[in-house]
Amino acid sequence: MNNTLEIKHLEKNFGKKKILTDISFTVTKGHIVGLVGANGAGKTTIMKAILGLVGFSNGTITINGESVSLNKHQALSKVGALIENPGIYPYLTGWDHLRLFAEKNITKSMMTELVSALKMDKYIHQKAKGYSLGMKQKLGIALAFLNNPDFVILDEPMNGLDPQATFDLRQLITTKANEGTTFLISSHILGELEKLAKDLVIIDRGQIIKQTTTYELLSTGEKYFVLQTSDDDRAQQLLLDHNFNLKEDISILVPNIDNNSLANALKVLINNNIDVLDVQHKDNDLEVSLLELLQHGEEGVK
């Protein structure tokens, strides 16, 4: 596979404190990769190191085969990024920002198309000092996309965005990825990341504990049957009496352990004159799957 980004054995210390330990992962060209972990796990430090904004103690970072370091930035010429809060000049308009940072090949029509995609038309010619948090965030995102980068790095891009703006950003990222742009995205809004990311790099306390796909992580999570009956309280007690390990007290969640799990549960209920009104499948979402992985600690280390 053609990798846009390769990180090998990256280490970062602040004084005697170790921030990153033996970080190694790849980002495949054209993929949307989610970098996930708890606050303080080291996600932003990794992104800053990729962008040559902070140095590192050991290891290598290459983008499209070219190395990146604190003093070597040539490989970043086709990289767009939004890290932490966007840098906004309050007395410039949003349009002024785009003009200021646009390369010579970026035309007015290309800028207008980007503004429309993020639904910034109504305020793009207003001074940024009057922008709300969400408006500033969208301007920062627009600047990251402005020069048609091959690789885009976004740190918490949904911060401050309302549901419509989040949807618009998701559409833009998906469109660009389908056109071949590579993405590395950090977000604590795991529901949105689940809709976007094909691959995941999971970090905990400065260490990579797993590089996987979203599908693989979700498929390893627990699965349940959710039952609705004519008498849920009695149905729960009957299943417990027959050694079914129900997941919660508030719902009848029968673990999908094997192909006979549902059939056996239904047989118990029907034999006891309880009508089954509805059966639904329930899978773990990304948040639950990630929490389960982190709770396993060393069992998740690869």
Side-chain angles (χ1 to χ4, degrees):
M1 285 188 180
N2 184 15
N3 293 324
T4 295
L5 172 70
E6 293 187 2
I7 298 180
K8 296 181 180 179
H9 310 297
L10 188 69
E11 306 220 343
K12 171 67 178 176
N13 301 323
F14 285 133
K16 294 183 179 180
K17 184 177 182 181
K18 189 172 286 293
I19 304 300
L20 301 176
T21 303
D22 197 25
I23 298 292
S24 296
F25 69 91
T26 59
V27 174
T28 304
K29 180 175 175 58
H31 282 213
I32 302 172
V33 179
L35 182 61
V36 296
N39 289 339
K43 303 185 298 297
T44 299
T45 302
I46 290 172
M47 289 180 157
K48 287 183 175 180
I50 295 169
L51 293 167
L53 298 176
V54 298
F56 42 91
S57 310
N58 292 295
T60 60
I61 300 173
T62 59
I63 296 176
N64 294 322
E66 291 188 68
S67 63
V68 176
S69 68
L70 192 59
N71 300 311
K72 192 172 183 182
H73 297 160
Q74 292 91 331
L76 299 173
S77 62
K78 294 297 291 181
V79 177
L82 173 62
I83 301 294
E84 296 179 326
N85 298 318
I88 302 296
Y89 298 100
Y91 291 98
L92 294 181
T93 68
W95 188 259
D96 289 336
H97 282 81
L98 298 179
R99 289 177 57 200
L100 179 63
F101 292 102
E103 295 177 352
K104 291 182 179 180
N105 63 319
I106 303 302
T107 65
K108 181 179 178 180
S109 63
M110 295 165 68
M111 291 164 55
T112 300
E113 183 179 351
L114 178 59
V115 167
S116 295
L118 291 169
K119 293 185 171 59
M120 301 169 64
D121 310 75
K122 291 183 179 180
Y123 58 84
I124 194 65
H125 294 289
Q126 298 174 14
K127 289 184 178 180
K129 67 177 182 177
Y131 282 15
S132 67
L133 175 61
M135 292 159 71
K136 291 177 180 178
Q137 186 74 359
K138 287 204 282 186
L139 179 55
I141 292 165
L143 291 169
F145 282 91
L146 177 61
N147 293 310
N148 293 324
D150 297 327
F151 182 27
V152 179
I153 298 173
L154 300 173
D155 184 20
E156 302 291 351
M158 287 84 173
N159 274 357
L161 299 186
D162 61 28
Q164 181 61 55
T166 298
F167 175 82
D168 295 336
L169 175 58
R170 187 167 72 240
Q171 293 293 101
L172 180 60
I173 291 172
T174 302
T175 298
K176 293 293 185 182
N178 289 337
E179 293 171 355
T181 304
T182 307
F183 287 88
L184 179 64
I185 303 174
S186 166
S187 178
H188 68 278
I189 307 175
L190 296 181
E192 284 300 323
L193 203 57
E194 183 178 343
K195 298 172 186 175
L196 279 171
K198 179 176 182 180
D199 305 313
L200 297 171
V201 177
I202 302 168
I203 182 171
D204 187 34
R205 289 172 289 186
Q207 292 182 286
I208 300 294
I209 61 171
K210 198 173 188 66
Q211 180 168 11
T212 185
T213 67
T214 304
Y215 175 81
E216 287 173 348
L217 182 60
L218 293 174
S219 66
T220 60
E222 295 181 278
K223 303 178 186 298
Y224 306 94
F225 296 109
V226 184
L227 306 184
Q228 180 184 355
T229 72
S230 56
D231 188 343
D232 286 352
D233 290 339
R234 183 165 169 251
Q236 285 179 338
Q237 190 57 54
L238 280 168
L239 292 174
L240 289 171
D241 290 344
H242 284 78
N243 299 317
F244 282 87
N245 183 23
L246 303 187
K247 181 65 175 177
E248 299 175 0
D249 292 334
I250 58 173
S251 301
I252 306 176
L253 298 183
V254 180
N256 184 8
I257 300 172
D258 54 48
N259 293 332
N260 296 319
S261 300
L262 179 60
N264 291 337
L266 294 178
K267 184 177 180 180
V268 169
L269 298 178
I270 292 170
N271 287 344
N272 285 275
N273 299 316
I274 293 179
D275 296 328
V276 178
L277 306 177
D278 189 35
V279 179
Q280 297 180 5
H281 292 273
K282 179 180 177 65
D283 297 340
N284 280 356
D285 59 15
L286 182 57
E287 181 178 26
V288 174
S289 298
L290 177 61
L291 289 173
E292 288 180 353
L293 177 61
L294 293 175
Q295 287 168 0
H296 278 85
E298 290 301 316
E299 294 179 20
V301 177
K302 274 195 165 186

